[in-house]
Every structure is written in structure tokens, then in C-alpha cells.
Amino acid sequence: MQDNIRVERPSFVTHLECSMTGETYAADQLHQLSRVGRPLLVRYDLAGAGAALTRDALAARPTDLWRWRELLPVRRAGNIVSLGEIETPLIAIPKSGGPGAIVKDEGRLPTGSFKARGLVMAVSMARELGVTRIAMPTNGNAGAALAAYAARCGIETVILCPEETPEVNVREIAAQGARVYRVNGQIDECGAIVGRGAAEGRWFDFSTLKEPYRIEGKKTMGLELAAQCGWELPDAIFYPTGGGTGLIGMWKAFDELERLGWIGSKRPRMYAVQASGCAPIVRAYEAGEEHAERWENAATVAAGIRVPRAVGDFLILRAVRESGGRALAVGDPAILQAVDACARKDGLLLCPEGGATLAAYHQAMRDGLVDPEERTVLFNCATGLKYPLPEAGAWLDKDAVGDLGAL
Amino acid sequence: MQDNIRVERPSFVTHLECSMTGETYAADQLHQLSRVGRPLLVRYDLAGAGAALTRDALAARPTDLWRWRELLPVRRAGNIVSLGEIETPLIAIPKSGGPGAIVKDEGRLPTGSFKARGLVMAVSMARELGVTRIAMPTNGNAGAALAAYAARCGIETVILCPEETPEVNVREIAAQGARVYRVNGQIDECGAIVGRGAAEGRWFDFSTLKEPYRIEGKKTMGLELAAQCGWELPDAIFYPTGGGTGLIGMWKAFDELERLGWIGSKRPRMYAVQASGCAPIVRAYEAGEEHAERWENAATVAAGIRVPRAVGDFLILRAVRESGGRALAVGDPAILQAVDACARKDGLLLCPEGGATLAAYHQAMRDGLVDPEERTVLFNCATGLKYPLPEAGAWLDKDAVGDLGAL
């Protein structure tokens, strides 16, 4: 098998376009938001890509993220900054989920989270386009992924974390060579500082959807899922939704795969899962709005989805509605119960955001939205090992263990 | 592609034999150590396996651990207890290692460590052979893997940890449904309690090498590495050595692959890496002994290799010597420096035991044992996220950020 990150293969990228107005922008250039302040989407010559790459040729490649090169923006193999972006496994959770429940375990990616998908693409493009200094606001995992990939290729990084960012994230960001700060505010307030610095020319702004290539990395979740499911998409997807890049990316992936003729028109119902303590997308979904207002006093144990305002709100809502899915909120107690049940019964330790999808899945089954037999994929976006677990372990004196029957 | 864990495929296991005397034991039965108190090795009809499975047929299967079914002891697919045992990636570390250094990142396996390989096999066999209660001593990661797989298939577990076991391990073991205790002693003292309970019929003893199937799981490290390297083994392997199951398993894998005709007679030089504070194998290697005496007052930051006495000592020493390798000890400061350098320069956060292999690699280059251009594989046995990282993250007041130039 050929090594996907060393072989030169053509990218079929043609241009970028504004997700709101459709206005076009040139490929192979640095971009932030469009002129109207909305995310840019990368477009490809899919006819050309389909002629260059067949599903059989794809099946002969190693299964990592870089097998999709024709559908990704990086032009030269030498710019790929890889830490081993493996295909993440699908794991049944029959006891804590049910007969149809499958977890896609994104915690197996570099730095232990799905943020690696977006950041490996964005950093590789930054390298290709000559960026030397990057700043980003993060609830934790995105910052860890950015720090690792940037360190690897010598790009300097400044990372701003809200005060409630998990401790492990702040520390791993620093260990991986970034300058990291804790800010007394939420992620959008950290983002405002990053934006100010970018305007002053101090760094390139890597905020969610403010540069166009992270979404292309996250898109590979959808491409990979389609290939793993034998080009027959699942019935439903539960996705923990903060900035929503992954949900938007998967929706884009399915569209590109249909244009390639590799899948049909069937789509999974997309369920955007938020925490009750920070649910701007759910509120907008229920009110029938196209955009979501900022959620004040956001608070949840699931830090990754504590995002009061998402710049891609309308894209999330559009995908959820077009798919026949829904936006759902679950409370912290249900999230923690789901994490506990999945570990104890099925041996799989989810992150809190992954626990949120399992809690929302049960809620959706109770409400008749999902049938237990339907093939349903829950995204576990990070390894559960990053998060505090309850104290455990009674003491035993080796010299005084008499009756082993007590053990 | 067919799913490796659902398709029925024949196992070519024929019998087991004592690693010391060669005395044979029946397959498909529960076993502990041999009559002379040494590990049992599983033997296969390799001619039959080679006729049933070609390298091309293997290449068409998904790349997870279960693709090697013909060379593994589990008979029925229904007994496989899987949590997604993916092929672990090979990652270059040019800045902190050098041009020839490649890390095999075992931290991507279920429960975040290579212990998953051994335990998924041992638990699947325990299920196949009707075991309902298991006990094990562990420095942490093995216990976490056992707890997860046993929880998944409903086997009860009792796990004993030395007092210096990393906190995260004790907690994840409990979260994954096991009964876990902390003992005021080393792992062999925990093992003595487990052994006493097994003798009383309270549980089945899962101590390293005391049941014969963990080594078959660890063997897949060698099988996988050979396939990933295009059936041309690397020049050298640095392996963090506590109980040594993986080193013994890889050596066994290479032997089986040569008998299959899939590799030639070339072997990597095997470097068994220990910590200066617990180096019984290094001491025995240097003294020319066949067995290693217990190391008193063992102490090192790398808990996974804090194993004062290994029941497979002679097998480790035999493989190291036959390969032309060596046993090497490195101090805790060098271990921590290696972890720091690899994260900061190459963006890869190693566990302390993985850091020990990088430190030993540099020591071996300084001593002229390894050439920097030689293809050398360092085993990172667990995700670095399980271990405490230094404090980081200066505070920044969002309302008082004036001069961004300071960032």
C-alpha cells in the first residue's frame, strides 16, 4: 500500500465561496470570513475528482484521513503535517445504548479528539500558504490539536482559553509548545481578543469557521463514515454541537459524495445535541429562526459544547432541518449518567460531549423520534480520559489481608 | 470489506507448550503456568494457516487486530469482545528523535494503552472458556483494559493496584465496572494476594504471563509492525519493559511470520528499556544471567515499568540476546526530558514509558549502538494524556487587555 502522506496526488479544489451569498473567492490564498462576515466553503471539480479516483482505488489506500486527498485542499504532500490521523472505529454499545447504537470513537485521533481533523487540515494549509503565527480561542481540545500540529511544523501559536477550560487541556497545550492564556470569559470573548490581534496584523485568526480549511478536515468524518458503512449512510447521527463545524462538514461531505455518484440521495437525520445550560441552536430551532442569538450565562460540564454563539449557526440549522433531524438539549445530570452507564456496562469511557449524544439518543427514543432498531451513530468527540473521574479504590493492607472472601 | 469480528474464520491453534521444558498442554482449556511454574506458549499449525491465508487476502481485510484471526487462539467470532482495536500509527519524530526514529503510538488503542491488545485476547478466551470471575495485579493500564473488556461481556473483576499507581488508572478501572483496591506494596506483592485467591478458587488469575493468551494479543504488535513495514522488519526496536509480554510476543510473532514465509530471517535488534530505579532485566543482562533477581525498593516515574520481578525474565533476556540487542536503563530526569522534547518539538505527547524509549534511543546513539539513519521503532505504550502535566496558563483579564503585543 502506498503511504497517503508521501505520494503526490492532485487536489481538485477550484475556488471558495461565501456560504451566505455564493460570492466566489480564489483558491490557494489566505482567507478569513467572507465580505459579509460569513464562513467560506471550499469547492471542488467533482467531475474531475470522480474521474481520477474510484471507490476501488480508494479502498486500496491506507484508511487514514489523507486517503481523501483529491477532495481536500492541500496541494503538495510536503505540506502535510501529520501525527497519524487514523480512521476512527465504530463501536457498538448494546447495553447502554441499544441494538442500533454505534459510537464513532473520535478520541483515537492525535491529541485525543476530533479537533485533530480540522486542525491538521488548517495547519497544513497555513504551512502551504506561508503563515508563521496563529492565534485561536478554544474550550480546550481544539487548542491542543492546534498546538501539536503547529509545533510540529514550526508555526508559533497563541491560545486563549475561557476560565472553565478543563485543566488537562491548558496543560497539554503548553506542553506542546504553545503560549496559552486563561481568560475570565467565554469562548466568544476570547475570540474577540484574537480578532483584535488579527486586525492589528499580530497573527492569523484560527477561530472556528473564520478560516475555511478546518471544515474540510472535519468533512472527513462524513466521508469516512460513508466508506465504513459500505456507502449506505446510517439512519440518524447524533452530533455534539458547539461551533458545529463537524455537522456542517459532514453535510457538505454527503453532498460531495452524492455528486461523485458514490452514495444516493438518502441522508441521515442529523440531531444537533447541546447542553441545557448552553443551547442557542436548540432555542433557534424551536423558534423557527434562521440564526441563533447569543446564550447568556452559558454553563455545562461539557466544555466542548459551551459555545454561546456560533458563526455558522444558519448552516447548522439548515442541515438539521433539511435532514429531518432536530436540535436537542440535555441536562448535565443526564450527561454524567450516560458517561457512567456506557463505561460501566459497555466498557467505553465517553467524554462528556459524547455522553450528551447518548443522553439525547435516549431522550429521542422516549419521544419517538428514533427507533431503537435504526442504525444510529453517536459521535464521541474526545477520549474520556481527559476528564475528571470520581475517586475510587479502597485501601488494602498487604500484611493484613486475611479473609479474601471480602474482595 | 468484511468485518473481522463478525465473520467466522478458523483458528489454527493446535496446543500449548511450556516455555521452559517444551511439555505440551491441550488447547481450548483454562491454563495458568506450566507444571514447572513457567509461562505457556500457544502453538499453531502454521502450514495450515499459510494455506488458508495469504498476504494478499490479509491486505483485503480491515486493518484491525482481528484481521490475524488464523494466528490467534479465539475459535468463535461470537466470543470476541471488541472495543475497536485499530492498527496503531507509525509517526516520525524527526526533531526530538532524528531521521530514523519512528514512534508506534499504542496510546490509540481502547483504554488508551497497548494493554488492550493482551487483555482483549485474554478476556475473549476467558469468555470462550467459561470464566466468570477474574482478579489481576496491575500498575494501572492493564487493569483499565481488563475492566473495560470484562465489563463489556459481563465477567466480574477484582483489581489490585500498588499504592503508586497513577490516580487516573485507579479511577478509570472503577468507572469501567471493576472492584479496585490500592495495596501498600509493589505489583508482585499484589500478585501474591491474587495468587492466593486463585488457589482458593475465588477467581481466575490474570497476572502477566500466568494465563497464556495475553501474549497472543501482544504478539499482534509484531505482526502489525511487519505488515506496516511492507514485510521488511525495522533495524531496531526500543521497548519499555516491565513484565515484557510485548517483547516476548513480538519475538514470537517474527518467528511465526518467518515460518509462514512472509518475512525472511532478518530481525530487529531488540532493546529492552527499563528505568534506573527498577532495572532487574538490565542487571541480569549485564551479569550474563539467564534469570533476573527481584529489584528491591523499586521506584520510577514510569509506573508501567516498575516491575521488580518478571516471570518471563528468561524469555525477555533470550530474545534480547538472540537479536543482538541489549537491555538499557534510563533515569527519571532523562525520561521526563524526552517526554517534554517530543511534545514541544514534534507535537507528540508520549507517556513516561514511551519517553523512556526515546531517552534510551539517544543513549544508544551516544554509545554507538544505533546509527541515527537506521530505521528504529520506539514503542509509546500509552497516551500521554493519562499522566500529570506541568501547570500552565497565565491569567488574562478580558476587560484589561490593552497591549496585545505582550501576547
Side-chain angles (χ1 to χ4, degrees), chain A residues 1 63 82-84 86-87 89 91-95 108-112 133 148 151-154 158 160 163 167-168 170-172 174-177 179-185 189 193 196-197 200 202-203 340 343-349 383 385-386 389-399 401-407, chain B residues 1 63 82-84 86-87 89 91-95 108-112 133 148 151-154 158 160 163 167-168 170-172 174-177 179-185 189 193 196-197 200 202-203 340 343-349 383 385-386 389-399 401-407:
Chain A
M1 285 203 288
T63 52
S82 175
L83 283 165
I86 59 142
E87 177 180 274
I91 303 169
I93 49 166
K95 295 189 205 167
R108 311 296 189 84
L109 289 162
T111 70
R133 199 157 195 252
R152 197 163 171 86
C153 67
V158 176
L160 305 190
E163 55 196 330
E167 187 60 31
V168 63
V170 177
R171 295 181 183 212
E172 66 177 317
Q176 288 158 187
R179 295 173 63 190
V180 56
Y181 297 90
R182 301 172 197 253
V183 177
N184 56 336
E189 296 169 304
I193 299 172
R196 195 145 57 85
E200 290 178 13
R202 298 197 177 277
W203 49 57
D340 174 66
R344 201 162 26 79
K345 297 179 186 174
D346 288 308
L348 184 60
L349 189 61
T383 169
L385 293 167
K386 286 199 175 191
L389 291 165
E391 271 190 59
W395 280 95
L396 203 66
D397 185 340
K398 72 181 155 71
D399 303 313
V401 185
D403 180 16
L404 291 176
L407 297 190
Chain B
M1 286 203 287
T63 53
S82 175
L83 282 164
I86 58 142
E87 177 179 273
I91 304 169
I93 49 165
K95 296 189 205 168
R108 309 297 189 83
L109 289 161
T111 70
R133 197 157 196 252
R152 196 163 171 85
C153 66
V158 177
L160 305 189
E163 55 196 327
E167 187 61 30
V168 63
V170 177
R171 295 181 183 210
E172 66 177 318
Q176 288 159 185
R179 294 174 62 189
V180 57
Y181 298 90
R182 301 172 196 252
V183 177
N184 56 335
E189 295 170 306
I193 300 172
R196 196 146 56 84
E200 291 178 12
R202 297 195 178 279
W203 50 58
D340 173 65
R344 201 164 23 81
K345 297 179 186 176
D346 287 310
L348 184 59
L349 190 60
T383 169
L385 292 167
K386 286 200 175 193
L389 291 166
E391 271 190 57
W395 281 95
L396 203 66
D397 185 340
K398 70 181 158 70
D399 302 313
V401 184
D403 181 14
L404 291 176
L407 300 191

Side-chain angles (χ1 to χ4, degrees), chain A residues 213-232:
Chain A
Y213 301 111
R214 273 171 76 178
I215 197 173
E216 294 304 294
K218 281 285 189 73
K219 181 178 85 176
T220 62
M221 284 193 297
L223 301 174
E224 191 171 296
L225 189 58
Q228 284 178 302
C229 295
W231 311 106
E232 173 82 31

Side-chain angles (χ1 to χ4, degrees), chain A residues 334-391:
Chain A
I335 290 174
L336 295 173
Q337 274 170 30
V339 169
D340 174 66
C342 192
R344 201 162 26 79
K345 297 179 186 174
D346 288 308
L348 184 60
L349 189 61
L350 304 173
C351 63
E353 298 78 11
T357 67
L358 178 54
Y361 173 61
H362 280 291
Q363 184 179 303
M365 284 195 291
R366 280 195 303 272
D367 293 345
L369 299 173
V370 177
D371 185 278
E373 301 290 336
E374 284 188 303
R375 215 160 39 123
T376 302
V377 174
L378 314 179
F379 273 85
N380 182 49
C381 46
T383 169
L385 293 167
K386 286 199 175 191
Y387 306 89
L389 291 165
E391 271 190 59

Side-chain angles (χ1 to χ4, degrees), chain A residues 112-129:
Chain A
S113 91
F114 71 163
K115 297 290 184 180
R117 291 187 191 268
L119 272 310
V120 73
M121 200 61 56
V123 170
S124 296
M125 286 305 292
R127 185 188 198 184
E128 190 152 284
L129 300 175

Side-chain angles (χ1 to χ4, degrees), chain B residues 7-18:
Chain B
V7 179
E8 291 295 347
R9 288 189 179 126
S11 164
F12 284 84
V13 66
T14 53
H15 64 285
L16 292 78
E17 61 183 42
C18 174

Side-chain angles (χ1 to χ4, degrees), chain B residues 299-323:
Chain B
T300 168
V301 67
I305 52 177
R306 198 177 54 229
V307 178
R309 176 164 39 198
V311 66
D313 52 1
F314 66 109
L315 297 171
I316 301 167
L317 287 160
R318 193 183 291 168
V320 165
R321 287 181 177 127
E322 281 181 18
S323 77

